[in-house]
């Protein structure tokens, strides 16, 4: 790691697995159209409706299609990508399960029916090697999610990191902005989410308050699934990263369901998601915390700040899976980093000093973390190198 001990980053193993970034969930095959096999016109109508909600037109057959051939939907031959082995997702109607017996075993096969009380449905699912039985209408939202994953080519989800201040003025927004900027400069696909409606706006901190794109109030009505690609394309692009911030209007509340949908979409895009969090944990913030792999709590090394951080940490731990401490700045006669972490009962993620001249550079339009040889940038580069297990090394430009 480059840099002095004053901006040291501790070893990081992100919660959820054995590697530096194991991710949550398993990559699914992507980039194709799902295959529907059914002879039931009512079930077909429902499945076509759910595919439309996910933004895809499926292949439809009455039986298992041949892997190659020039035929169309519903017949013996199959269009390219519509075969049993090549389709990224297969939805077999319970009425047509008999047609799928003997087909090669593969992942991504689901048996779809309507009868919750059918005692033999699991036997039919076993016979065709289905991963799961989905019963409509109860499983509609889950089925739309799986179809949409195929459409979006969902792979490894983003490493999602939240940053929260242990007390006022701790520098959480500055660190969140710098983390996102350094991740983007290292080549990571990055989204920075401003979760604090009273924080002044992350787009302002990046010098892009006038940039075109959607802000949080535009997503306030979101309820179901938000497309990952559509989300990213709708947001302002500043310094090679996408930013979801607040506008200058009066709205400071986004419903929890909208928060959940938007953050989930950002994670499905892959790469890195950084969230600047408010210190008060309400229902909407709890929805965000539940989706984060790691929360960094920024704390000044003095007793009063640590006492305030203890109250914040208590609320965060109710929803977050992994909370760690970043000590920012040394106070004469104050506590050292290890003592701060011990008092808060959380692992020490690292220590970064206050960067001399940073407020002035930000005022002149230079975002935090832009100065590649500064202690803040070095801390962030070291953090990502460990958290992502990157082979690229530390960015210095």
């Amino acid at each position: 790691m480059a840099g002095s001990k004053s901006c040291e980053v501790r070893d990081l193993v992100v919660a959820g697995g054995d590697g530096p970034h194991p991710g949550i969930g398993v990559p699914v095959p992507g980039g194709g159209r799902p295959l529907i096999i059914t002879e039931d016109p009512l079930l077909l109508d429902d499945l076509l409706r759910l595919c439309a909600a996910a933004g895809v037109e499926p292949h439809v057959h009455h039986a298992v299609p041949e892997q190659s051939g020039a035929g169309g939907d519903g017949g013996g031959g199959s269009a390219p990508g519509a075969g049993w082995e090549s389709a990224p997702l297969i939805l077999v109607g319970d009425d047509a399960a008999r047609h799928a017996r003997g087909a090669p075993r593969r992942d991504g096969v689901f048996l779809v029916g309507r009868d919750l009380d059918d005692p033999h449905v699991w036997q039919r699912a076993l016979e065709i090697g289905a991963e799961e039985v989905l019963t409509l209408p109860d499983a509609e939202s889950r089925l739309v999610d799986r179809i949409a994953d195929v459409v979006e080519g969902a792979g490894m989800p983003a490493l999602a990191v939240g940053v929260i201040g242990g007390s006022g003025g701790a520098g959480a927004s500055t660190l969140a902005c710098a983390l996102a900027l350094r991740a983007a400069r290292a080549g990571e696909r990055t989204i920075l989410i401003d979760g604090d409606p009273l924080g002044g706006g992350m787009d302002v901190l990046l010098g892009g308050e006038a940039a075109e794109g959607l802000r949080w109030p535009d997503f306030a009505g979101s309820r179901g699934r938000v497309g990952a690609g559509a989300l990213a394309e709708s947001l302002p692009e500043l310094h090679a990263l996408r930013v979801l911030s607040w506008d200058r209007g009066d709205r400071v509340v986004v419903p929890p369901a909208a928060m959940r949908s938007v953050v989930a979409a950002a994670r499905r895009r892959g790469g890195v998601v950084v969230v600047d969090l408010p210190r008060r944990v309400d229902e909407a913030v709890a929805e965000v915390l539940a989706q984060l792999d790691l929360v960094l709590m920024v704390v000044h090394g003095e007793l009063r700040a640590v006492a305030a951080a203890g109250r914040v940490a208590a609320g965060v731990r109710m929803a977050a899976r992994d909370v760690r401490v970043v000590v920012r700045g040394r106070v004469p006669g104050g506590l050292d980093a290890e003592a701060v972490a011990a008092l808060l009962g959380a692992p020490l993620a690292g220590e970064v000093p206050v960067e001399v001249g940073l407020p002035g550079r930000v005022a002149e339009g230079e975002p935090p973390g832009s100065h590649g040889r500064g202690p803040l940038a070095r801390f962030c580069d070291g953090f990502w190198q460990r958290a992502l297990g990157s082979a690229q090394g530390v960015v210095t430009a």
Side-chain angles (χ1 to χ4, degrees):
M1 151 114 197
S4 64
K5 187 177 180 181
S6 62
C7 53
E8 178 185 2
V9 180
R10 295 305 174 95
D11 290 337
L12 293 170
V13 178
V14 177
D18 298 327
H21 177 216
I24 301 173
V26 178
V28 296
R33 295 165 58 186
L35 169 64
I36 295 174
I37 301 175
T38 183
E39 297 176 311
D40 182 342
L42 296 179
L43 178 60
L44 178 59
D45 284 346
D46 280 338
L47 293 178
L48 290 175
R49 172 175 55 83
L50 297 178
C51 285
V56 66
E57 180 182 356
H59 297 286
V60 179
H61 287 262
H62 296 321
V64 175
E66 298 175 5
Q67 186 58 32
S68 61
D73 288 352
S78 81
W84 177 270
E85 296 181 12
S86 58
L89 182 73
I90 300 177
L91 307 176
V92 180
D94 193 25
D95 64 289
R98 64 187 184 280
H99 296 313
R101 291 174 189 156
R105 296 300 172 106
R106 51 153 291 168
D107 295 332
V109 177
F110 294 83
L111 184 66
V112 185
R114 296 178 180 279
D115 189 355
L116 282 169
D117 300 320
D118 184 351
H120 303 297
V121 66
W122 294 103
Q123 178 61 35
R124 293 192 289 276
L126 185 64
E127 290 172 352
I128 67 172
E131 290 185 16
E132 191 175 345
V133 175
L134 300 174
T135 305
L136 302 183
D138 293 351
E140 283 194 357
S141 61
R142 171 165 171 72
L143 187 49
V144 170
D145 281 349
R146 293 306 300 262
I147 297 170
D149 280 342
V150 169
V151 177
E152 295 177 355
M156 186 70 73
L159 174 60
V161 177
V163 185
I164 190 168
S167 61
S173 295
T174 297
L175 179 58
C177 182
L179 282 169
L181 184 66
R182 300 310 295 178
R185 291 196 175 183
E188 294 290 338
R189 180 182 291 180
T190 305
I191 293 182
L192 173 60
I193 297 177
D194 187 351
D196 187 357
L198 304 180
M202 295 299 287
D203 55 350
V204 176
L205 196 56
L206 285 161
E209 59 270 24
E212 293 186 1
L214 300 185
R215 266 67 173 181
W216 263 121
D218 298 306
F219 295 96
S222 301
R223 289 294 182 272
R225 182 184 179 105
V226 176
L231 170 68
E233 291 301 316
S234 72
L235 300 178
E237 184 175 7
L238 303 170
H239 302 277
L241 58 93
R242 298 286 178 168
V243 183
L244 175 54
S245 188
W246 297 85
D247 62 10
R248 264 31 82 188
D250 296 332
R251 182 160 195 150
V252 295
V253 176
V254 171
M259 281 278 194
R260 179 174 62 249
S261 295
V262 170
V263 175
R267 293 195 72 243
R268 288 197 306 274
R269 184 170 176 259
V272 165
V273 173
V274 179
V275 185
D276 181 37
L277 297 162
R279 295 198 307 279
R280 181 174 178 177
V281 180
D282 57 16
E283 187 177 352
V285 174
E287 291 286 357
V288 178
L289 288 170
Q291 298 192 59
L292 299 178
D293 298 297
L294 177 66
V295 176
L296 299 177
M297 176 173 290
V298 186
V299 185
H300 283 306
E302 58 97 11
L303 191 58
R304 189 164 176 260
V306 174
R311 291 190 289 272
V312 175
V316 172
R317 286 190 178 107
M318 295 179 66
R321 71 183 74 205
D322 191 348
V323 181
R324 307 191 192 188
V325 173
V326 174
V327 177
R328 189 159 187 261
R330 294 217 173 190
V331 179
L335 302 167
D336 62 26
E338 287 78 6
V340 171
L343 286 170
L344 292 172
L348 179 63
E351 182 181 358
V352 59
V354 175
E355 188 166 323
V356 178
L358 178 61
R361 292 198 299 272
V362 171
E364 294 173 358
E366 181 181 304
S370 297
H371 188 51
R373 296 188 181 278
L376 182 59
R378 295 202 307 271
F379 173 88
C380 294
D381 291 339
F383 172 85
W384 291 125
Q385 186 179 10
R386 286 157 174 75
L388 291 168
S390 172
Q392 297 175 330
V394 178
V395 178
T396 57

